Amino acid sequence: MLETARLRLRRWREDEVERIAAARTNQATAQFLPFIPQPFTVEDARFWLKDMAEQASAGKRFNWCVADAATDQGLGNLTLFGIHTRGEVRDAEVGYWMHPEAQGRGVMSEAVQAVARWYFAAPDDGGFGGRRLFIRTAATNTAARRTAEKAGFRHVGTERAAFQIATRVDDKVTYDLLITD
């Protein structure tokens, strides 16, 4: 578990499947994450929880419920995936989504910063020992881009016509954060 002054990053619980389903069934999710079934049902949420636990056990993915520290209510989700450890190259991609009620409050950028601190910390200090984090999103996903920038990530490139969204192909923007930043 990771914590900030106002957030607790923890595992999702089985009793939160309805909140997960509600968060993943909204227009922004449907637009920018078209691979998520719509509507996202409670059964989909149960399968997703099981899948996340299996991938975490295999070291393929780390997943956190971003919860309010005072109420413990789940506000969103943050995932590290695509984890590569090749010699000195240790990088991972960051993905996130928010419950509509929690959007626009700077919650996710704060959560991303907390995960980055853990990710860059040495294993002897309880961290992962990573060297680079990156975020890829659609160029028109201004909320995701703002989150990346507020969390200290730098825009490092744009690939034209490389990101499938629900209605068309968009440009893909990439942000990264290095251990040295």
Side-chain angles (χ1 to χ4, degrees), residues 95-113:
Y96 40 85
W97 49 262
M98 294 294 297
H99 192 282
E101 295 170 359
Q103 293 174 353
R105 299 186 339 211
V107 168
M108 192 53 73
S109 57
E110 185 177 327
V112 169
Q113 289 171 330

Side-chain angles (χ1 to χ4, degrees), residues 145-167:
R145 294 184 72 174
R146 193 170 39 252
T147 295
E149 292 163 0
K150 283 182 68 179
F153 284 64
R154 295 182 188 174
H155 179 243
V156 294
T158 301
E159 296 175 66
R160 297 182 308 153
F163 198 98
Q164 178 68 49
I165 60 176
T167 56

Side-chain angles (χ1 to χ4, degrees), residues 20-35:
I20 294 167
R24 291 180 68 128
T25 301
N26 67 63
Q27 186 175 0
T29 299
Q31 173 72 8
F32 293 113
L33 301 174
F35 55 85

Side-chain angles (χ1 to χ4, degrees), residues 1 4 6 13 19-20 70 73 77 79 90-91 93 95 103 113 129 134 140 148 155 157 168 175 181:
M1 182 169 43
T4 71
R6 64 182 182 151
R13 298 183 309 260
R19 186 142 179 96
I20 294 167
Q73 181 178 48
N77 186 77
T79 304
R90 292 184 301 281
D91 62 11
E93 187 166 355
Q103 293 174 353
Q113 289 171 330
F134 62 96
T140 56
H155 179 243
R168 62 185 171 79
Y175 291 84
D181 287 342

Side-chain angles (χ1 to χ4, degrees), residues 8 10-18 20 49 65 67 71-74:
R8 177 178 301 117
R10 57 162 174 81
R11 290 184 181 195
W12 284 99
R13 298 183 309 260
E14 179 68 28
D15 66 344
E16 296 175 299
V17 291
E18 289 183 15
I20 294 167
L49 282 176
C65 167
T71 66
D72 203 38
Q73 181 178 48

Side-chain angles (χ1 to χ4, degrees), residues 29-144:
T29 299
Q31 173 72 8
F32 293 113
L33 301 174
F35 55 85
I36 295 176
Q38 295 295 319
F40 193 80
T41 67
V42 168
E43 280 66 39
D44 291 328
R46 283 191 181 101
F47 176 82
W48 179 76
L49 282 176
K50 182 179 178 279
D51 185 49
M52 291 296 103
E54 289 171 1
Q55 290 190 49
S57 294
K60 294 181 180 178
R61 180 179 285 248
F62 295 94
N63 193 67
W64 292 270
C65 167
V66 178
D68 183 282
T71 66
D72 203 38
Q73 181 178 48
L75 305 173
N77 186 77
L78 195 155
T79 304
L80 288 183
F81 62 100
I83 300 166
H84 298 105
T85 54
R86 301 171 310 277
E88 290 299 308
V89 176
R90 292 184 301 281
D91 62 11
E93 187 166 355
V94 179
Y96 40 85
W97 49 262
M98 294 294 297
H99 192 282
E101 295 170 359
Q103 293 174 353
R105 299 186 339 211
V107 168
M108 192 53 73
S109 57
E110 185 177 327
V112 169
Q113 289 171 330
V115 167
R117 283 189 297 275
W118 168 81
Y119 180 78
F120 292 135
D124 290 346
D125 296 327
F128 186 82
R131 300 182 62 80
R132 176 179 177 258
L133 287 172
F134 62 96
I135 295 169
R136 295 185 291 193
T137 191
T140 56
N141 190 343
T142 56

